[in-house]
Amino acid sequence: MTEAPTPVTTRNDIWTWLIIAAVTVLIWYWAAGETRVTGTLHTRLEFVVAGVEPEDWLIEPATLSVALEAEGSARAIRNAELAIKGRRLSVPVPAEVGRQRLDLTQLLSEHPQVQATGITILSSDPSTRELEIDEMVASPALVLPLPGVEADDVVVEPAQVTVRMRGRDRPLYGSDLTVEPVVPPRQLERLAPGTRHTLEDVPVRLSAGLPADGEVQIDPPRVKISFTIRSRIRAMELDYPVRVLIAGPHEDHERVELEPKQLRDVTVTVTDELAQRIESGEAVVFAVLHLKSRDREARITEKPVTYFMALRSDDTAEFVRATVGGSPDPPVINLTITPPPTD
Protein backbone atom coordinates (compact mmCIF):
# COMPACT_ATOMS: atom_id res chain seq x y z
CA MET A 1 0.00 0.00 0.00
CA THR A 2 1.31 3.36 -0.95
CA GLU A 3 1.41 5.94 1.90
CA ALA A 4 -0.25 9.40 1.40
CA PRO A 5 2.23 12.21 0.97
CA THR A 6 2.73 14.48 4.01
CA PRO A 7 1.35 18.04 3.41
CA VAL A 8 4.04 20.63 3.05
CA THR A 9 3.42 24.00 4.65
CA THR A 10 4.69 26.71 2.41
CA ARG A 11 5.58 30.28 3.30
CA ASN A 12 2.48 31.47 1.43
CA ASP A 13 0.31 29.33 3.67
CA ILE A 14 1.85 30.86 6.79
CA TRP A 15 1.19 34.41 5.59
CA THR A 16 -2.37 33.43 4.67
CA TRP A 17 -3.02 32.16 8.22
CA LEU A 18 -1.44 35.27 9.73
CA ILE A 19 -3.60 37.54 7.63
CA ILE A 20 -6.72 35.56 8.55
CA ALA A 21 -5.82 35.76 12.24
CA ALA A 22 -5.15 39.49 12.05
CA VAL A 23 -8.42 40.13 10.24
CA THR A 24 -10.25 38.00 12.82
CA VAL A 25 -8.73 40.01 15.67
CA LEU A 26 -9.61 43.30 13.97
CA ILE A 27 -13.20 42.15 13.39
CA TRP A 28 -13.46 41.04 17.01
CA TYR A 29 -12.02 44.34 18.24
CA TRP A 30 -14.37 46.32 16.01
CA ALA A 31 -17.36 44.22 17.10
CA ALA A 32 -16.41 44.65 20.75
CA GLY A 33 -16.18 48.41 20.27
CA GLU A 34 -19.59 48.51 18.57
CA THR A 35 -21.37 46.43 21.19
CA ARG A 36 -24.21 48.43 22.74
CA VAL A 37 -23.57 49.11 26.41
CA THR A 38 -24.73 51.53 29.07
CA GLY A 39 -22.58 53.64 31.34
CA THR A 40 -22.69 56.48 33.85
CA LEU A 41 -20.93 59.72 32.99
CA HIS A 42 -20.27 62.56 35.41
CA THR A 43 -19.89 66.14 34.25
CA ARG A 44 -20.60 69.72 35.36
CA LEU A 45 -22.99 72.07 33.62
CA GLU A 46 -22.45 75.81 33.31
CA PHE A 47 -25.64 77.74 32.57
CA VAL A 48 -25.36 80.84 30.36
CA VAL A 49 -27.92 83.17 28.81
CA ALA A 50 -27.77 82.70 25.07
CA GLY A 51 -26.48 85.52 22.91
CA VAL A 52 -25.54 88.05 25.64
CA GLU A 53 -22.50 89.00 27.65
CA PRO A 54 -22.21 86.81 30.79
CA GLU A 55 -21.87 89.82 33.11
CA ASP A 56 -25.25 91.20 31.94
CA TRP A 57 -27.24 88.39 33.56
CA LEU A 58 -27.21 86.53 36.85
CA ILE A 59 -28.11 82.82 37.04
CA GLU A 60 -28.56 80.85 40.25
CA PRO A 61 -27.22 78.25 40.39
CA ALA A 62 -24.64 79.09 37.75
CA THR A 63 -23.19 75.55 37.72
CA LEU A 64 -24.51 72.08 38.52
CA SER A 65 -22.94 68.60 38.77
CA VAL A 66 -24.93 65.86 37.00
CA ALA A 67 -24.68 62.10 36.48
CA LEU A 68 -25.74 60.91 33.02
CA GLU A 69 -26.98 57.41 32.25
CA ALA A 70 -25.94 56.90 28.63
CA GLU A 71 -26.24 54.16 26.00
CA GLY A 72 -24.05 53.59 23.00
CA SER A 73 -21.22 51.54 21.67
CA ALA A 74 -18.37 50.82 24.04
CA ARG A 75 -16.25 53.05 21.87
CA ALA A 76 -18.78 55.89 22.00
CA ILE A 77 -19.03 55.63 25.79
CA ARG A 78 -15.24 55.85 26.06
CA ASN A 79 -15.18 58.84 23.71
CA ALA A 80 -17.90 60.53 25.73
CA GLU A 81 -15.93 60.04 28.95
CA LEU A 82 -12.93 61.72 27.33
CA ALA A 83 -15.07 64.53 25.91
CA ILE A 84 -17.13 65.52 28.94
CA LYS A 85 -15.74 63.86 32.07
CA GLY A 86 -14.25 66.46 34.41
CA ARG A 87 -15.18 69.29 32.04
CA ARG A 88 -17.89 71.93 32.02
CA LEU A 89 -20.65 71.77 29.45
CA SER A 90 -22.01 75.20 28.54
CA VAL A 91 -25.82 75.03 28.56
CA PRO A 92 -27.63 78.08 27.07
CA VAL A 93 -30.93 79.19 28.61
CA PRO A 94 -33.49 81.74 27.37
CA ALA A 95 -33.03 85.40 28.27
CA GLU A 96 -36.16 85.50 30.43
CA VAL A 97 -36.25 87.08 33.88
CA GLY A 98 -37.71 84.84 36.58
CA ARG A 99 -37.70 81.17 37.42
CA GLN A 100 -37.13 78.59 34.72
CA ARG A 101 -37.41 74.84 35.12
CA LEU A 102 -35.11 72.96 32.76
CA ASP A 103 -35.51 69.39 31.55
CA LEU A 104 -31.85 68.40 31.82
CA THR A 105 -32.30 65.01 30.15
CA GLN A 106 -33.72 66.62 27.02
CA LEU A 107 -31.26 69.51 27.01
CA LEU A 108 -28.27 67.20 27.28
CA SER A 109 -29.67 64.80 24.69
CA GLU A 110 -29.76 67.71 22.23
CA HIS A 111 -26.43 69.20 23.30
CA PRO A 112 -24.05 69.30 20.28
CA GLN A 113 -21.04 68.26 22.33
CA VAL A 114 -22.90 65.21 23.61
CA GLN A 115 -24.39 64.29 20.23
CA ALA A 116 -20.92 64.41 18.66
CA THR A 117 -19.87 61.44 20.80
CA GLY A 118 -22.58 59.18 19.36
CA ILE A 119 -24.17 58.28 22.71
CA THR A 120 -27.82 58.43 23.69
CA ILE A 121 -28.76 60.02 27.01
CA LEU A 122 -31.24 57.78 28.84
CA SER A 123 -31.58 59.88 31.99
CA SER A 124 -29.81 62.43 34.14
CA ASP A 125 -29.54 62.90 37.89
CA PRO A 126 -31.01 65.36 38.66
CA SER A 127 -33.47 65.15 35.79
CA THR A 128 -34.73 68.72 36.15
CA ARG A 129 -33.44 71.92 37.70
CA GLU A 130 -35.06 75.23 38.54
CA LEU A 131 -32.98 78.33 37.83
CA GLU A 132 -33.45 81.88 39.06
CA ILE A 133 -32.53 84.28 36.26
CA ASP A 134 -32.29 88.05 36.50
CA GLU A 135 -30.83 90.80 34.37
CA MET A 136 -28.13 93.00 35.86
CA VAL A 137 -28.91 96.72 35.59
CA ALA A 138 -26.39 99.57 35.77
CA SER A 139 -27.00 102.81 37.67
CA PRO A 140 -24.78 105.82 38.43
CA ALA A 141 -23.87 106.34 42.10
CA LEU A 142 -22.42 109.38 43.82
CA VAL A 143 -19.33 108.77 45.99
CA LEU A 144 -19.92 110.21 49.47
CA PRO A 145 -17.19 111.73 51.66
CA LEU A 146 -15.64 109.63 54.40
CA PRO A 147 -18.50 108.48 56.67
CA GLY A 148 -18.28 109.40 60.35
CA VAL A 149 -15.46 111.90 59.78
CA GLU A 150 -15.79 115.67 59.97
CA ALA A 151 -13.57 116.89 57.14
CA ASP A 152 -13.13 119.98 54.97
CA ASP A 153 -12.27 120.37 51.26
CA VAL A 154 -13.07 116.74 50.45
CA VAL A 155 -12.23 115.79 46.85
CA VAL A 156 -13.11 112.30 45.56
CA GLU A 157 -11.82 111.00 42.20
CA PRO A 158 -13.91 109.83 40.47
CA ALA A 159 -16.87 111.54 42.09
CA GLN A 160 -19.28 109.03 40.51
CA VAL A 161 -19.14 105.29 39.89
CA THR A 162 -21.38 102.71 38.19
CA VAL A 163 -23.24 100.17 40.31
CA ARG A 164 -24.61 96.97 38.77
CA MET A 165 -27.17 94.81 40.56
CA ARG A 166 -30.17 92.54 40.03
CA GLY A 167 -33.03 94.20 38.20
CA ARG A 168 -35.54 93.05 40.81
CA ASP A 169 -33.40 94.44 43.65
CA ARG A 170 -32.87 97.87 42.12
CA PRO A 171 -36.18 99.39 43.40
CA LEU A 172 -35.13 98.56 46.98
CA TYR A 173 -32.32 101.11 46.82
CA GLY A 174 -34.36 104.17 45.92
CA SER A 175 -33.93 106.54 43.01
CA ASP A 176 -30.47 107.85 43.94
CA LEU A 177 -27.63 105.45 44.68
CA THR A 178 -24.61 106.40 46.77
CA VAL A 179 -21.43 104.60 47.76
CA GLU A 180 -19.03 105.35 50.56
CA PRO A 181 -15.26 104.94 50.94
CA VAL A 182 -14.06 102.25 53.32
CA VAL A 183 -11.13 103.42 55.46
CA PRO A 184 -10.26 101.54 58.68
CA PRO A 185 -10.72 103.73 61.77
CA ARG A 186 -7.16 102.98 62.90
CA GLN A 187 -5.84 104.41 59.66
CA LEU A 188 -7.83 107.61 60.18
CA GLU A 189 -6.63 107.90 63.77
CA ARG A 190 -3.05 108.20 62.50
CA LEU A 191 -3.92 111.23 60.35
CA ALA A 192 -3.35 114.61 61.99
CA PRO A 193 -6.21 117.16 62.01
CA GLY A 194 -5.68 120.38 60.09
CA THR A 195 -3.35 118.73 57.58
CA ARG A 196 -4.19 117.94 53.95
CA HIS A 197 -4.25 114.17 53.36
CA THR A 198 -4.59 112.09 50.18
CA LEU A 199 -5.53 108.40 50.24
CA GLU A 200 -5.02 106.36 47.08
CA ASP A 201 -6.82 103.19 46.03
CA VAL A 202 -9.61 103.39 48.62
CA PRO A 203 -12.32 100.70 48.20
CA VAL A 204 -15.95 101.79 48.07
CA ARG A 205 -19.18 100.02 48.99
CA LEU A 206 -22.88 100.80 49.00
CA SER A 207 -23.65 103.43 51.60
CA ALA A 208 -24.42 102.21 55.11
CA GLY A 209 -27.98 101.06 55.43
CA LEU A 210 -28.28 99.78 51.88
CA PRO A 211 -28.31 95.97 51.88
CA ALA A 212 -25.98 94.11 49.54
CA ASP A 213 -26.05 90.34 48.98
CA GLY A 214 -22.72 89.97 47.24
CA GLU A 215 -24.46 90.46 43.88
CA VAL A 216 -23.55 94.14 43.63
CA GLN A 217 -20.70 95.19 41.35
CA ILE A 218 -19.09 98.63 41.54
CA ASP A 219 -16.98 100.09 38.72
CA PRO A 220 -14.44 101.37 39.49
CA PRO A 221 -14.26 99.61 42.87
CA ARG A 222 -11.65 102.04 44.28
CA VAL A 223 -11.26 105.82 44.40
CA LYS A 224 -8.79 108.54 45.42
CA ILE A 225 -9.72 110.88 48.30
CA SER A 226 -8.16 114.15 49.43
CA PHE A 227 -9.39 115.87 52.61
CA THR A 228 -8.52 117.84 55.73
CA ILE A 229 -9.74 116.42 59.05
CA ARG A 230 -11.59 118.97 61.15
CA SER A 231 -12.35 116.76 64.16
CA ARG A 232 -11.74 113.22 65.25
CA ILE A 233 -14.16 110.39 65.63
CA ARG A 234 -14.11 108.09 68.61
CA ALA A 235 -15.34 104.69 69.65
CA MET A 236 -17.68 104.39 72.60
CA GLU A 237 -19.19 101.35 74.29
CA LEU A 238 -22.91 101.70 74.86
CA ASP A 239 -24.11 101.17 78.40
CA TYR A 240 -27.55 99.91 77.30
CA PRO A 241 -28.76 96.98 75.14
CA VAL A 242 -29.42 97.88 71.50
CA ARG A 243 -32.87 96.98 70.20
CA VAL A 244 -33.17 95.15 66.86
CA LEU A 245 -35.73 96.60 64.42
CA ILE A 246 -37.06 95.01 61.21
CA ALA A 247 -37.16 96.90 57.91
CA GLY A 248 -38.66 95.64 54.68
CA PRO A 249 -41.56 95.85 52.21
CA HIS A 250 -44.76 97.03 53.88
CA GLU A 251 -46.96 94.55 52.00
CA ASP A 252 -45.46 91.60 53.86
CA HIS A 253 -47.66 90.51 56.76
CA GLU A 254 -45.84 87.46 58.08
CA ARG A 255 -45.14 87.32 61.77
CA VAL A 256 -41.42 87.54 62.52
CA GLU A 257 -39.87 86.66 65.85
CA LEU A 258 -36.26 87.64 66.60
CA GLU A 259 -33.68 86.10 68.87
CA PRO A 260 -32.03 88.02 70.36
CA LYS A 261 -34.33 91.03 70.35
CA GLN A 262 -31.58 93.16 71.88
CA LEU A 263 -27.81 93.25 71.43
CA ARG A 264 -25.34 93.78 74.24
CA ASP A 265 -21.67 94.74 74.27
CA VAL A 266 -22.15 97.16 71.36
CA THR A 267 -19.43 99.68 70.51
CA VAL A 268 -20.11 102.49 68.03
CA THR A 269 -17.65 104.73 66.21
CA VAL A 270 -19.11 108.23 65.93
CA THR A 271 -18.17 111.87 65.80
CA ASP A 272 -17.62 113.76 69.03
CA GLU A 273 -20.90 115.64 68.55
CA LEU A 274 -22.97 112.45 68.18
CA ALA A 275 -21.09 110.74 71.00
CA GLN A 276 -22.10 113.59 73.33
CA ARG A 277 -25.73 113.25 72.26
CA ILE A 278 -25.66 109.51 72.92
CA GLU A 279 -24.10 110.03 76.35
CA SER A 280 -26.71 112.63 77.28
CA GLY A 281 -29.61 110.49 76.03
CA GLU A 282 -30.43 112.84 73.14
CA ALA A 283 -29.70 110.04 70.64
CA VAL A 284 -30.39 106.30 70.79
CA VAL A 285 -28.70 103.58 68.70
CA PHE A 286 -30.76 100.85 67.02
CA ALA A 287 -29.80 97.76 64.99
CA VAL A 288 -31.80 97.27 61.78
CA LEU A 289 -32.45 93.95 60.05
CA HIS A 290 -33.57 94.34 56.43
CA LEU A 291 -35.87 91.49 55.33
CA LYS A 292 -36.64 91.20 51.63
CA SER A 293 -39.81 89.61 50.29
CA ARG A 294 -37.88 86.58 49.14
CA ASP A 295 -36.39 86.21 52.64
CA ARG A 296 -39.90 85.99 54.05
CA GLU A 297 -41.07 83.63 51.30
CA ALA A 298 -38.12 81.34 51.92
CA ARG A 299 -38.77 81.40 55.70
CA ILE A 300 -35.09 82.00 56.38
CA THR A 301 -34.02 81.13 59.91
CA GLU A 302 -31.16 83.58 60.35
CA LYS A 303 -29.67 86.74 58.87
CA PRO A 304 -26.95 89.20 59.95
CA VAL A 305 -27.85 92.72 61.07
CA THR A 306 -27.96 95.00 58.04
CA TYR A 307 -26.89 98.26 59.68
CA PHE A 308 -26.91 100.38 62.85
CA MET A 309 -28.44 103.84 63.14
CA ALA A 310 -28.66 106.60 65.74
CA LEU A 311 -32.00 108.35 66.17
CA ARG A 312 -31.83 111.84 67.69
CA SER A 313 -34.50 113.44 69.86
CA ASP A 314 -35.38 115.77 66.96
CA ASP A 315 -36.29 112.67 64.88
CA THR A 316 -33.26 112.98 62.60
CA ALA A 317 -31.17 109.85 62.12
CA GLU A 318 -27.80 108.81 60.78
CA PHE A 319 -26.09 105.51 60.12
CA VAL A 320 -23.29 104.57 62.48
CA ARG A 321 -20.54 101.99 62.49
CA ALA A 322 -20.84 99.44 65.26
CA THR A 323 -19.29 96.20 66.47
CA VAL A 324 -20.79 93.63 68.82
CA GLY A 325 -18.55 91.78 71.24
CA GLY A 326 -15.50 93.23 69.52
CA SER A 327 -16.17 91.28 66.31
CA PRO A 328 -16.02 93.15 62.99
CA ASP A 329 -18.69 90.82 61.57
CA PRO A 330 -22.33 91.87 61.92
CA PRO A 331 -24.21 89.81 64.53
CA VAL A 332 -26.51 87.08 63.23
CA ILE A 333 -30.15 87.22 64.31
CA ASN A 334 -32.19 84.00 64.52
CA LEU A 335 -35.60 84.27 62.87
CA THR A 336 -38.92 82.48 63.12
CA ILE A 337 -41.18 83.55 60.25
CA THR A 338 -44.78 82.37 60.23
CA PRO A 339 -47.39 83.20 57.58
CA PRO A 340 -50.35 85.43 58.42
CA PRO A 341 -53.54 83.67 59.53
CA THR A 342 -55.95 82.85 56.74
CA ASP A 343 -59.56 83.93 56.85
Side-chain angles (χ1 to χ4, degrees):
M1 179 179 294
T2 304
E3 295 182 358
T6 302
V8 179
T9 301
T10 65
R11 177 175 297 179
N12 289 338
D13 294 334
I14 295 174
W15 278 109
T16 299
W17 284 107
L18 289 175
I19 292 172
I20 292 173
V23 171
T24 301
V25 170
L26 289 175
I27 293 174
W28 175 86
Y29 181 78
W30 176 85
E34 294 302 314
T35 301
R36 303 292 291 183
V37 298
T38 60
T40 301
L41 307 174
H42 297 273
T43 189
R44 192 165 184 83
L45 309 182
E46 182 174 29
F47 301 108
V48 297
V49 176
V52 300
E53 294 297 328
E55 61 270 17
D56 291 338
W57 289 77
L58 189 66
I59 303 176
E60 294 181 344
T63 62
L64 177 68
S65 295
V66 295
L68 305 177
E69 190 69 19
E71 181 184 56
S73 67
R75 182 177 295 106
I77 294 293
R78 288 195 299 270
N79 291 339
E81 288 181 341
L82 295 175
I84 68 177
K85 184 177 180 180
R87 302 186 181 184
R88 288 190 177 185
L89 289 181
S90 180
V91 178
V93 297
E96 299 175 0
V97 173
R99 295 180 181 178
Q100 297 185 24
R101 180 168 290 277
L102 304 182
D103 185 334
L104 298 180
T105 302
Q106 179 180 352
L107 278 176
L108 294 172
S109 297
E110 299 171 353
H111 197 285
Q113 197 169 340
V114 174
Q115 290 182 336
T117 65
I119 63 173
T120 299
I121 302 297
L122 302 177
S123 64
S124 66
D125 184 19
S127 60
T128 63
R129 184 65 179 184
E130 189 174 81
L131 304 181
E132 187 76 25
I133 301 177
D134 203 354
E135 188 174 10
M136 299 291 285
V137 297
S139 303
L142 181 69
V143 182
L144 298 178
L146 289 172
V149 174
E150 293 183 347
D152 295 322
D153 303 324
V154 179
V155 177
V156 182
E157 302 176 59
Q160 181 175 285
V161 298
T162 299
V163 177
R164 295 167 56 84
M165 67 180 68
R166 291 175 179 268
R168 67 167 177 264
D169 288 345
R170 181 62 185 86
L172 299 175
Y173 294 79
S175 58
D176 297 322
L177 279 181
T178 58
V179 297
E180 63 182 14
V182 181
V183 181
R186 290 184 179 179
Q187 183 178 355
L188 289 177
E189 290 173 1
R190 294 194 295 265
L191 303 180
T195 303
R196 189 71 174 167
H197 300 283
T198 298
L199 301 180
E200 304 274 358
D201 206 29
V202 178
V204 293
R205 66 184 177 191
L206 284 173
S207 300
L210 297 181
D213 294 338
E215 299 152 3
V216 174
Q217 305 164 6
I218 302 177
D219 182 35
R222 296 175 179 272
V223 298
K224 174 182 175 181
I225 308 175
S226 299
F227 57 95
T228 302
I229 296 178
R230 181 168 9 113
S231 64
R232 295 232 179 241
I233 59 174
R234 63 186 175 96
M236 61 178 300
E237 185 175 349
L238 302 179
D239 58 3
Y240 57 85
V242 172
R243 185 181 174 189
V244 181
L245 304 179
I246 297 177
H250 297 296
E251 65 271 13
D252 294 322
H253 304 289
E254 290 87 350
R255 179 182 177 185
V256 182
E257 296 183 2
L258 307 178
E259 180 58 39
K261 297 180 177 63
Q262 295 179 328
L263 300 173
R264 300 182 183 276
D265 193 15
V266 178
T267 299
V268 294
T269 302
V270 294
T271 63
D272 288 334
E273 181 269 337
L274 182 55
Q276 292 172 8
R277 287 178 176 268
I278 293 174
E279 290 171 338
S280 65
E282 297 180 20
V284 180
V285 176
F286 294 95
V288 180
L289 185 69
H290 190 281
L291 287 182
K292 300 179 181 179
S293 294
R294 69 168 179 264
D295 293 335
R296 297 173 183 265
E297 293 172 359
R299 304 286 189 266
I300 63 171
T301 58
E302 62 179 22
K303 189 171 185 179
V305 165
T306 310
Y307 56 88
F308 289 82
M309 65 181 299
L311 179 64
R312 296 186 178 90
S313 56
D314 60 1
D315 291 334
T316 60
E318 69 176 86
F319 301 107
V320 299
R321 299 182 183 276
T323 60
V324 178
S327 172
D329 299 323
V332 176
I333 305 299
N334 296 315
L335 303 169
T336 301
I337 302 176
T338 55
T342 57
D343 296 332

